[in-house]
């Protein structure tokens, strides 16, 4: 069972709660996602946004987002706000380098989340010259499993080529994110050896939550036993020191807290993390696909919205319903990640419940 915590972990969680309480009160913007496109060159089984090569929305003009950054720079130190370009696939934008350079020239560090399919040595060089600080590349297994997940026969070779290119850049900090599912679960050790062999230093694992295309795909969902096995793999790997490895930021993990990631659980959506979505919506983590938008840049000032709205994110007592109502760990979990709530506010997945099955 994973609902029994040691005294040391309880003390750590209490300290973390106080830190989070202070962060909620101050809500300093530290990460700003820009959903710069919904176009994508892949058709991934687990996509939460159901992106397409031809999206329902045109790419947001960079000038519209840059006006948001001017507003943010008047509100706080831009050097303390990390801008993350996401999508869709950011590399679908021909003007990505122009976007990055403009963001960098305004004083904001920036990076991107990419599948790596369109990354070439020449384009990587241009992005670095445009001030790109970091990147995340998605890799969901060895070749057969990754291509099955991504729906493209060249996806694995292009993603691993991107990893090799980034690993060869002196001092460039990047990571790989892997969606653990029934197809790649058994090869985690092999995948670890492969990734360390091509120069990877930082690796994040996550599991699928029931939204988007993944909502009805049983092949993507780990059993409770497999879920525990994945966490044990992370714990072993962290102890070995072979690679810096973390479980994703989602989910309170009971007795695994403090053992499988660098920080204790806390959903920072709307507390330190904001986003501008493709249609101008002001929201938080782009993984939140339910409508918890707080405004829109085409009619609202971003910093006014950030400062005076976001109540559903910062006061989460409304989440204390259903199975959360009687949970003794609600004070630490606060109802799990915002991306795990549907439009009705109902919890779609409880990690602790899954661990205890």
């Amino acid at each position: 069972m994973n609902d029994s915590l040691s005294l040391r972990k309880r003390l750590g969680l209490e300290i973390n709660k106080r830190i989070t309480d202070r962060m909620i009160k101050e809500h300093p913007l530290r990460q700003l996602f820009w959903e710069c496109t919904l176009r994508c060159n892949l058709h991934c089984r687990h996509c939460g946004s159901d992106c397409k090569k031809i999206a329902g929305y045109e790419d947001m003009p960079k000038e519209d987002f840059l006006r948001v950054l001017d507003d943010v720079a008047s509100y706080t130190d831009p050097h303390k706000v990390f801008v993350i370009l996401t999508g869709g696939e950011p590399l679908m934008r021909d003007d990505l380098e122009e976007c990055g350079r403009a963001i960098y020239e305004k004083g904001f560090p920036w990076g991107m989340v990419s599948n790596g399919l369109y990354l070439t040595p020449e384009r990587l060089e241009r992005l670095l010259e445009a001030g790109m600080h970091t990147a995340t590349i998605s890799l969901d297994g060895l070749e057969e499993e990754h291509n099955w997940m991504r729906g493209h026969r060249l996806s694995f070779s292009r993603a691993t080529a991107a990893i090799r290119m980034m690993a060869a850049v002196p001092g460039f900090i990047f990571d790989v994110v892997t969606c653990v599912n029934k197809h790649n679960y058994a090869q985690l050790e092999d995948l670890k050896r492969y990734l360390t062999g091509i120069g990877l230093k930082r690796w994040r694992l996550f599991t699928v939550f029931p939204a988007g295309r993944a909502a009805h795909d049983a092949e993507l969902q780990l059993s409770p036993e497999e879920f525990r096995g994945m966490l044990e793999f992370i714990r072993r790997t962290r102890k070995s020191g072979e690679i810096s490895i973390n479980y994703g930021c989602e989910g309170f993990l009971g007795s695994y807290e403090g053992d499988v990631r660098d920080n204790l659980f806390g959903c920072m959506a709307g507390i330190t993390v904001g986003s501008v979505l493709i249609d101008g919506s002001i929201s938080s983590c782009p993984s939140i696909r339910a409508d918890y938008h707080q405004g829109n840049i085409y009619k609202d000032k971003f910093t006014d919205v950030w400062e005076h709205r976001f109540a559903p994110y910062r006061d989460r007592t409304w989440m204390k319903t259903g199975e959360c109502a009687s949970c003794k760990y609600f004070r630490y979990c606060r109802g799990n990640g915002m991306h795990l709530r549907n439009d009705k506010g109902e919890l779609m997945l409880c990690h602790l419940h899954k661990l205890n099955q």
Side-chain angles (χ1 to χ4, degrees):
M1 297 290 287
N2 286 277
D3 60 355
S4 179
L5 299 177
S6 67
L7 177 60
R8 179 181 64 85
K9 290 190 176 183
R10 284 183 178 274
L11 289 173
L13 287 165
E14 285 295 332
I15 293 170
N16 190 61
K17 180 184 181 301
R18 294 175 189 175
I19 293 171
T20 303
D21 287 342
R22 185 173 71 247
M23 296 293 277
I24 291 171
K25 183 178 180 180
E26 298 173 357
H27 48 268
L29 182 64
R30 290 293 177 260
Q31 286 185 317
L32 179 59
F33 285 89
W34 178 27
E35 191 178 58
C36 64
T37 182
L38 279 186
R39 292 182 295 141
C40 192
N41 45 22
L42 296 178
H43 190 77
C44 304
R45 298 179 71 97
H46 64 314
C47 182
S49 54
D50 202 22
C51 302
K52 302 173 182 177
K53 190 169 186 178
I54 301 175
Y57 288 94
E58 294 183 358
D59 296 353
M60 180 182 288
K62 68 178 185 299
E63 292 78 14
D64 295 354
F65 182 67
L66 293 176
R67 282 193 290 271
V68 173
L69 294 187
D70 288 337
D71 177 28
V72 172
S74 71
Y75 168 82
T76 190
D77 182 355
H79 297 91
K80 295 181 179 179
V81 181
F82 199 94
V83 176
I84 303 168
L85 277 60
T86 186
E89 170 53 50
L91 290 171
M92 295 288 286
R93 289 189 67 128
D94 293 334
D95 66 345
L96 185 62
E97 292 88 337
E98 296 174 26
C99 296
R101 183 171 295 281
I103 293 167
Y104 180 71
E105 289 177 349
K106 290 182 180 295
F108 293 85
W110 72 274
M112 69 171 180
V113 180
S114 173
N115 59 44
L117 189 68
Y118 283 177
L119 190 66
T120 63
E122 295 77 18
R123 193 150 202 207
L124 176 59
E125 184 176 356
R126 294 198 301 269
L127 289 167
L128 293 171
E129 289 173 351
M132 184 171 71
H133 279 57
T134 187
T136 293
I137 299 295
S138 298
L139 189 76
D140 295 320
L142 297 174
E143 186 164 15
E144 181 180 345
E145 290 73 20
H146 176 81
N147 290 345
W148 170 83
M149 177 72 92
R150 297 285 166 169
H152 194 295
R153 65 183 181 83
L154 296 178
S155 181
F156 178 81
S157 61
R158 298 282 179 82
T160 54
I163 295 167
R164 290 177 187 272
M165 281 187 271
M166 292 180 179
V169 178
F172 185 66
I173 297 174
F174 73 101
D175 69 352
V176 163
V177 62
T178 296
C179 174
V180 183
N181 58 80
K182 286 188 178 298
H183 278 241
N184 63 17
Y185 169 75
Q187 60 178 213
L188 288 175
E189 288 286 352
D190 292 337
L191 183 57
K192 177 182 66 177
R193 284 191 290 271
Y194 179 81
L195 289 172
T196 55
I198 62 174
L200 185 68
K201 304 296 184 185
R202 295 171 178 83
W203 191 20
R204 272 184 296 143
L205 307 185
F206 72 100
T207 44
V208 173
F209 58 95
R213 295 178 191 157
H216 308 292
D217 194 337
E219 293 182 273
L220 297 180
Q221 306 293 334
L222 295 181
S223 68
E225 182 181 6
E226 290 167 335
F227 185 52
R228 290 189 293 270
M230 179 202 63
L231 295 179
E232 288 293 339
F233 165 77
I234 295 173
R235 182 150 62 183
R236 288 195 310 272
T237 302
R238 286 174 66 87
K239 287 181 178 179
S240 73
E242 299 164 82
I243 188 173
S244 174
I245 187 172
N246 282 273
Y247 182 60
C249 61
E250 61 179 23
F252 179 73
L253 300 174
S255 64
Y256 285 102
E257 286 295 323
D259 294 342
V260 295
R261 50 192 165 206
D262 294 341
N263 56 282
L264 296 173
F265 173 71
C267 177
M268 292 293 107
I271 300 170
T272 63
V273 180
S275 70
V276 174
L277 303 182
I278 192 69
D279 63 351
S281 295
I282 298 170
S283 189
S284 187
C285 169
S287 292
I288 301 171
R289 304 317 302 186
D291 186 4
Y292 290 101
H293 308 331
Q294 302 299 298
N296 192 289
I297 65 168
Y298 294 114
K299 63 179 182 179
D300 302 304
K301 189 176 178 182
F302 181 91
T303 54
D304 286 345
V305 173
W306 180 258
E307 188 62 37
H308 301 295
R309 301 189 197 177
F310 280 86
Y313 293 87
R314 296 170 188 165
D315 179 2
R316 302 191 184 184
T317 53
W318 62 271
M319 292 183 172
K320 201 172 175 61
T321 59
E323 61 184 300
C324 293
S326 59
C327 180
K328 60 184 177 182
Y329 296 127
F330 185 86
R331 64 185 286 104
Y332 307 134
C333 177
R334 302 175 195 247
N336 222 333
M338 282 290 294
H339 68 293
L340 297 173
R341 297 279 165 170
N342 62 22
D343 285 316
K344 298 178 181 179
E346 299 165 333
L347 182 63
M348 295 184 286
L349 173 67
C350 172
H351 293 74
L352 187 62
H353 178 78
K354 187 165 189 172
L355 283 169
N356 290 331
Q357 287 182 307

